[in-house]
Amino acid sequence: MAVLGGWIYSVFCTFSYQLIHDGKEGAWITLPEGDNRIALHQLPAGAYELRLCSSLLPDQITTYAIAIRPPWYLNAWMKLLYLVLAILVIALVVKALLDRNRRRYEQLERQKSLELSQMKIDFFTNISHDLKTPLSLILGPVDTLLERQFPTDNDRSLLESIRNNAQRLNTLIKRVLDFKQVDFQEEQTLVRSQVEINRLVKSVADSFAQIASKRNITITVEEMSQPLEMNLDLFKMESVFYNVMSNAVKFVPDTDGHINVRISLHGNHVRVTVTDNGIGIPKEDLNLVWIRLYQARNSSGGNYEGSGIGLALVKKFVELHNGSVDIAPNPEGKGTMVTIDLPLDGENVIASNGVAELPAKADDPREMILLIDDNSELLQFLHSALSLTYRCLRATDGKQGLEKAQDETPSLIIVDEMMPVMSGLEFCKRIKAIPHLASVPIIMLTAHDDPETENRSIQLGVDAFMSKPFDVSRLKLRITQLLDARSRIAARTRQEVRIDAAAEPPEEASSDERLMEDMLQLIEKRMGDASFNVSQLCEELGIGQKRLLRMLKATQGTTPVNFLRSLRLKRAAVLLKGGKFTVSEVMYMVGFTHPSYFARAFTEEFGVSPRDFATNSPQ
């Protein structure tokens, strides 16, 4: 608003004004009588002229110059800033396009480099193969000449030198030809043994607990509800899981890093999935990480040390077990997911050892299994699936099954829960009351997949609980596991179940013997500590987990996790045998916190449930 001074003012005087902008004259506007104020709103930036006259002096026109400045965001400096930002955005876009083209070029270069390396190896191999023909033509005549008589020994010496060097050259060529198929001979050989997959993966994950604690990384392991024994090369599969876990730990961030390991059954395969929230792998490198010595771009240099061999060994060792391995981005966000599938067939399955607990018939040395089910079709199906490996008896209800069990004393019983005349639960209760049948393993088949039924089965001494429909391959594995456990229990019945932690070491004990003695004393001291694990054991002993694993494998034939659990269970057996404590009290005294897990572990170790062991043990 402009207030104009220097004019004669009167209530009878009126004013008129005209606004001129860029040479364009506006209309004359007359103010109301007595009003001497002009309001000019929202004028664009620029130069204006204001002409003013009054009714008292209509011929006298006064001109005022008015300049409207632009807003701050439209001044010259801001326009310059806008220009600079525009240039910067254009430069970033151009740089992104150039980087993308560069990555594509590098990808092509890597691919060409790999193809060229493969061509060189193929060429070298082909040339080496072609060298064997002239080499054979050299060795043949030399051997022929050596069979003849020469006048001097010098000629024979020269020919023998030619033959020896030709044979040495032949050996070198053979090694060249073997190079493409085998990197190291030991990598191609599997030394299989009985491995419980849950314990194996858990023990590997536990070995990273210390470094995870220092870096505030969370490692979670989701095990299968039931243990599963497989016939695997322990050291190679440990190498597989160590390499996968090592990569996950290496590339996850500190403080908020998370690694999840999940073990599950997928059809006829065991699947181990390792998922992390690390830096991930570029999509264009996912198919190349399995190549020996290759490293993804984001893992080379910096603080990420590696040789590019680990994942190549993972793929080789898994495929030696007829399995498969896949790597993909984490479906839940940032990071990587590695999936390992091991088939439950072929050599991976533990075959029955054929050792009978009781005298078998002369014409059939196989283990005897009693099948009890009121469904004739299911009974026939079970008989067909198991009869090639075991002797199978059949019964259509619990009462008939009880009579056959007393007459034949089977090595294992498979019984349905719901049957006429006598139910499966009542059958189990009566079987456990018969002394010579109390230790026979029982597998319960049921359509009731609920915790209450499972708890009742465990209380009655059922060793395995399988809901319908069930996987036949999994049933066979459980049968093998229970029969093997029963054989081990039979071999241990001649020994006193105890831990003698106070035994004096021999005067000239080896380092392993002294380590074993120290370890037993430490475990005895920390027996009731549920948080005491293998990592803490190694830390207090001052040794590495690999050394402890090698020592226990050589002396005890087991892993540190299994050894620690076995000692806890043996101490539980001693306490239960004394009859002074309840099962729950003993469970906490030996470092267990979950009753269902303690019952399963105890049954697996001794063939009977803790309650039955305490009841049947002499006081």
Side-chain angles (χ1 to χ4, degrees):
M1 178 177 291
V3 180
L4 305 177
W7 287 83
I8 298 174
Y9 175 74
S10 172
V11 295
F12 304 105
C13 178
T14 60
F15 292 93
S16 298
Y17 69 91
Q18 182 188 40
L19 192 64
I20 301 174
H21 178 54
D22 291 338
K24 296 180 181 180
E25 296 182 357
W28 281 92
I29 300 173
T30 301
L31 297 175
E33 187 175 330
D35 189 359
N36 66 342
R37 294 177 180 271
I38 298 173
L40 303 174
H41 298 290
Q42 297 181 350
L43 293 179
Y48 295 85
E49 288 184 1
L50 179 65
R51 294 179 178 179
L52 184 64
C53 68
S54 68
S55 59
L56 297 177
L57 299 171
D59 296 331
Q60 182 181 351
I61 299 175
T62 304
T63 302
Y64 296 92
I66 300 175
I68 304 297
R69 295 180 180 179
W72 66 270
Y73 52 84
L74 291 178
N75 60 37
W77 287 106
M78 291 303 298
K79 290 180 179 179
L80 180 61
L81 177 61
Y82 297 151
L83 179 62
V84 172
L85 290 177
I87 294 174
L88 181 60
V89 169
I90 294 173
L92 291 176
V93 172
V94 172
K95 183 178 183 300
L97 293 175
L98 293 176
D99 288 344
R100 186 178 67 174
N101 292 334
R102 178 178 56 79
R103 288 194 297 269
R104 289 180 178 177
Y105 177 76
E106 290 177 353
Q107 178 70 20
L108 292 175
E109 285 296 317
R110 285 195 299 271
Q111 191 66 31
K112 289 181 180 179
S113 178
L114 292 173
E115 292 176 357
L116 182 61
S117 298
Q118 188 63 40
M119 290 175 60
K120 290 179 180 179
I121 293 175
D122 291 340
F123 174 77
F124 188 47
T125 304
N126 293 336
I127 290 296
S128 300
H129 183 271
D130 292 339
L131 288 175
K132 291 182 69 67
T133 299
L135 190 61
S136 300
L137 296 177
I138 294 174
L139 284 172
V142 169
D143 289 337
T144 301
L145 292 175
L146 284 174
E147 293 176 356
R148 300 178 181 178
Q149 295 294 329
F150 286 87
T152 63
D153 292 337
N154 185 46
D155 294 331
R156 174 172 291 277
S157 176
L158 291 175
L159 288 174
E160 288 179 348
S161 177
I162 294 173
R163 184 181 65 180
N164 293 336
N165 285 280
Q167 290 176 342
R168 188 177 296 112
L169 181 60
N170 185 52
T171 301
L172 294 175
I173 292 175
K174 184 177 183 301
R175 291 178 60 185
V176 170
L177 292 175
D178 292 341
F179 170 76
K180 264 191 84 173
Q181 288 77 24
V182 183
D183 293 331
F184 301 99
Q185 184 64 32
E186 64 183 12
E187 291 182 5
Q188 297 290 337
T189 305
L190 291 181
V191 181
R192 295 180 181 267
S193 60
Q194 185 171 331
V195 177
E196 206 285 303
I197 193 70
N198 281 327
R199 298 178 191 170
L200 172 60
V201 177
K202 187 67 167 59
S203 65
V204 172
D206 287 342
S207 66
F208 291 91
Q210 187 173 3
I211 186 173
S213 177
K214 289 182 179 179
R215 293 177 52 192
N216 293 323
I217 298 172
T218 303
I219 300 178
T220 58
V221 180
E222 300 177 27
E223 301 181 41
M224 290 185 294
S225 58
Q226 297 290 340
L228 177 61
E229 302 280 350
M230 297 185 68
N231 193 27
L232 307 174
D233 187 313
L234 176 62
F235 290 99
K236 284 185 173 56
M237 290 312 301
E238 281 183 338
S239 175
V240 167
F241 297 126
Y242 266 110
N243 276 291
V244 174
M245 287 293 298
S246 176
N247 284 339
V249 171
K250 186 188 303 180
F251 295 115
V252 296
D254 294 341
T255 68
D256 60 345
H258 180 74
I259 301 171
N260 178 262
V261 183
R262 187 172 186 269
I263 314 164
S264 58
L265 281 175
H266 282 255
N268 197 34
H269 289 76
V270 172
R271 175 167 294 179
V272 180
T273 304
V274 180
T275 308
D276 64 72
N277 63 341
I279 62 175
I281 298 175
K283 292 183 178 179
E284 56 269 25
D285 291 342
L286 288 176
N287 294 328
L288 302 176
V289 295
W290 309 113
I291 301 175
R292 184 181 286 266
L293 303 181
Y294 180 82
Q295 291 180 306
R297 293 193 311 276
N298 57 353
S299 65
S300 58
N303 297 324
Y304 306 115
E305 299 181 355
S307 60
I309 296 178
L311 288 179
L313 288 178
V314 167
K315 185 175 179 64
K316 177 185 284 292
F317 292 166
V318 171
E319 289 179 349
L320 284 176
H321 288 85
N322 298 320
S324 62
V325 59
D326 180 65
I327 188 167
N330 185 351
E332 299 179 359
K334 185 179 178 181
T336 305
M337 180 177 70
V338 179
T339 304
I340 299 171
D341 283 328
L342 297 173
L344 291 173
D345 55 22
E347 294 183 350
N348 290 346
V349 178
I350 300 174
S352 176
N353 55 19
V355 179
E357 177 78 18
L358 299 172
K361 296 181 179 179
D363 58 342
D364 196 345
R366 296 175 298 172
E367 300 268 16
M368 180 186 294
I369 295 180
L370 175 59
L371 308 174
I372 309 174
D373 200 303
D374 60 326
N375 189 314
S376 58
E377 293 182 1
L378 181 58
L379 200 61
Q380 179 60 38
F381 171 74
L382 289 172
H383 184 274
S384 300
L386 302 175
S387 59
L388 293 178
T389 309
Y390 308 100
R391 284 189 296 144
C392 296
L393 297 177
R394 288 181 282 185
T396 56
D397 58 65
K399 183 179 179 181
Q400 184 182 5
L402 186 62
E403 294 174 354
K404 289 194 174 184
Q406 290 177 312
D407 294 339
E408 300 291 343
T409 312
S411 301
L412 182 139
I413 300 173
I414 300 177
V415 59
D416 187 25
E417 179 200 358
M418 299 182 64
M419 295 182 297
V421 184
M422 182 186 293
S423 68
L425 294 175
E426 180 64 23
F427 169 82
C428 294
K429 181 179 180 180
R430 297 197 181 188
I431 280 290
K432 294 303 179 180
I434 302 174
H436 73 281
L437 296 176
S439 61
V440 176
I442 299 177
I443 298 178
M444 175 74 75
L445 304 179
T446 178
H448 293 163
D449 188 9
D450 59 273
E452 182 179 354
T453 305
E454 184 175 2
N455 291 336
R456 289 183 61 195
S457 302
I458 294 175
Q459 291 173 358
L460 292 174
V462 174
D463 300 270
F465 181 86
M466 301 188 69
S467 60
K468 298 179 181 179
F470 55 86
D471 187 351
V472 177
S473 61
R474 185 179 177 187
L475 175 63
K476 291 180 179 179
L477 288 173
R478 290 297 284 154
I479 292 173
T480 302
Q481 180 189 29
L482 291 173
L483 290 177
D484 289 345
R486 188 169 188 250
S487 298
R488 292 194 300 268
I489 293 300
R492 281 198 294 264
T493 53
R494 293 186 298 269
Q495 302 177 4
E496 180 69 21
V497 182
R498 63 186 179 87
I499 303 175
D500 189 4
E504 292 294 332
E507 294 182 0
E508 298 182 358
S510 65
S511 60
D512 284 348
E513 290 173 337
R514 291 193 298 270
L515 176 61
M516 176 66 74
E517 177 63 25
D518 294 340
M519 181 173 59
L520 289 176
Q521 292 180 0
L522 179 58
I523 293 174
E524 173 71 15
K525 179 181 177 182
R526 301 288 297 275
M527 182 68 69
D529 185 357
S531 63
F532 184 67
N533 55 25
V534 175
S535 298
Q536 296 178 4
L537 175 64
C538 293
E539 184 177 354
E540 296 193 22
L541 289 174
I543 63 173
Q545 295 193 17
K546 289 187 177 180
R547 182 192 171 188
L548 180 62
L549 175 63
R550 287 194 297 267
M551 188 271 287
L552 288 177
K553 277 293 180 183
T555 60
Q556 306 295 323
T558 186
T559 63
V561 174
N562 295 344
F563 183 74
L564 178 59
R565 189 181 76 156
S566 179
L567 290 182
R568 292 183 188 272
L569 293 172
K570 288 179 180 179
R571 170 49 59 89
V574 172
L575 295 173
L576 290 173
K577 189 175 181 180
K580 296 181 179 180
F581 306 99
T582 65
V583 174
S584 298
E585 291 173 336
V586 169
M587 177 187 71
Y588 290 107
M589 291 171 67
V590 297
F592 287 87
T593 57
H594 299 288
S596 59
Y597 176 69
F598 174 66
R600 288 198 304 269
F602 194 95
T603 303
E604 180 184 346
E605 183 77 12
F606 298 107
V608 295
S609 66
R611 194 175 305 278
D612 290 342
F613 184 89
T615 303
N616 298 328
S617 297
Q619 304 300 324

